[in-house]
Amino acid sequence: VPEDYDEVGLAHVHFVGLDTDMSKQTYEASIPINKALDRRGDVLLAFEMNGEPIPRDHGYPVRAVVPGTVGARNVKWVGKVLASKTESQGFWQQRDYKNFSPSTDWENVDFDRAPAIQDMPIQSAIAAIEGGLEEGGDDEEEGVGSLTIKGYAYSGGGRGVARVDISIDGGKTWEVADIKQGGWKHGDYARTWTWALWEHHVPEAKLKGLEEADICVKATDTSYNVQPERIEPYWNLRGVLANSWARQKVPLRREAA
């Protein structure tokens, strides 16, 4: 890429795969050239993984690794890299991985009016719930017991996870989870590429008298983007970027008679 790429109008970097689909089209995608050339963007052409040649399933001989960007742009089996004035015209750049209004369906969709997804939105997931579960039978121990809820959160574009909020009453009240690994860094809000692993402990006293815990999780990133409560206003025909609250209802042990 020439140093004066901006002056000559180069705006995108294409990754062209060696694999083809049934119509003999290669898989290819592109990212903005500013992302590709930014030293703090950490874009890689990976030849190795854990000190060994990158496995075929992960993209041998070369894979594009574009941190903070949707997986569709992290092209496997790369055979060619191009600097271009225009975005990739490949199917998966132009006719998929785009977001639309809930009113859009396959009869009226216009892919040319929507940008290709690059950064991912803030999201979270519940990975494990320990304790407090309904185990059935009359021999269970007295008392509700405590709950420990674990999961991950992530935001694209290098934005770190600033906070993860947990509710056990369907979103009426909230507490802040502990981020055990990952999350945001002081003074560097735009170079966080990993999941934030979080954990929250709910003591027995807060569960006493409840028949179930209606657990809700919402994360906030360093740009203060926050997950929406419901999926309905964000539903789209492709089902992409569905990042509403993570939710799970958990039955609790009842006190023994």
Side-chain angles (χ1 to χ4, degrees), residues 214-234:
D214 187 358
I215 299 170
C216 303
V217 180
K218 61 181 176 71
T220 301
D221 68 19
T222 50
S223 293
Y224 287 97
N225 299 308
V226 62
Q227 291 177 254
E229 178 178 356
R230 300 182 298 115
I231 186 57
E232 287 81 2
Y234 297 88

Side-chain angles (χ1 to χ4, degrees), residues 1 7 11-12 55 78 85 89 105 113 117 153 166 206 237-238:
V1 177
E7 296 178 13
H12 305 270
V78 173
K85 295 181 179 180
Q89 295 304 299
D105 59 31
R113 297 187 63 183
I117 299 170
I166 311 291
K206 290 191 175 181
L237 78 169
R238 276 291 287 111

Side-chain angles (χ1 to χ4, degrees), residues 8-171:
V8 299
L10 297 176
H12 305 270
V13 171
H14 298 207
F15 303 111
V16 183
L18 296 170
D19 54 321
T20 59
D21 61 20
M22 295 178 65
S23 66
K24 304 302 181 182
Q25 289 185 323
T26 57
Y27 185 96
E28 63 174 88
S30 64
I31 61 174
I33 198 169
N34 290 336
K35 168 66 174 178
L37 298 184
D38 185 357
R39 288 183 298 173
R40 294 176 59 80
D42 296 322
V43 175
L44 301 174
L45 289 174
F47 296 83
E48 295 185 350
M49 179 176 172
N50 298 326
E52 301 287 340
I54 192 166
R56 186 176 67 176
D57 286 351
H58 289 279
Y60 178 88
V62 182
R63 178 175 185 166
V65 178
V66 189
T69 300
V70 65
R73 315 297 167 227
N74 290 251
V75 178
K76 297 180 179 180
W77 312 298
V78 173
K80 188 184 298 183
V81 180
L82 303 171
S84 174
K85 295 181 179 180
T86 59
E87 189 178 56
S88 167
Q89 295 304 299
F91 178 90
W92 302 101
Q93 187 91 14
Q94 298 300 327
R95 292 295 180 265
D96 208 334
Y97 295 110
K98 294 185 175 185
N99 195 3
F100 301 95
S101 165
S103 64
T104 300
D105 59 31
W106 290 109
E107 298 298 323
N108 62 18
V109 62
D110 183 354
F111 280 95
D112 293 329
R113 297 187 63 183
I117 299 170
Q118 295 285 345
D119 294 358
M120 295 290 287
I122 183 68
Q123 55 197 280
S124 66
I126 300 168
I129 300 173
E130 301 170 358
L133 302 178
E134 178 73 62
E135 295 181 352
D138 296 329
D139 297 327
E140 58 190 51
E141 297 178 1
E142 291 186 5
V144 172
S146 61
L147 279 178
T148 299
I149 309 163
K150 300 179 181 180
Y152 68 85
Y154 173 80
S155 190
R159 296 178 294 275
V161 175
R163 191 180 72 247
V164 178
D165 298 321
I166 311 291
S167 173
I168 62 167
D169 57 13

Side-chain angles (χ1 to χ4, degrees), residues 149-215:
I149 309 163
K150 300 179 181 180
Y152 68 85
Y154 173 80
S155 190
R159 296 178 294 275
V161 175
R163 191 180 72 247
V164 178
D165 298 321
I166 311 291
S167 173
I168 62 167
D169 57 13
K172 296 176 183 177
T173 61
W174 298 88
E175 295 183 341
V176 179
D178 293 325
I179 296 178
K180 298 294 187 179
Q181 184 177 333
W184 69 287
K185 301 175 183 177
H186 286 276
D188 195 347
Y189 292 178
R191 207 180 185 186
T192 303
W193 312 124
T194 60
W195 291 355
L197 305 182
W198 54 264
E199 182 174 321
H200 186 63
H201 181 74
V202 184
E204 178 180 343
K206 290 191 175 181
L207 299 172
K208 192 173 182 63
L210 297 179
E211 293 187 0
E212 68 175 11
D214 187 358
I215 299 170

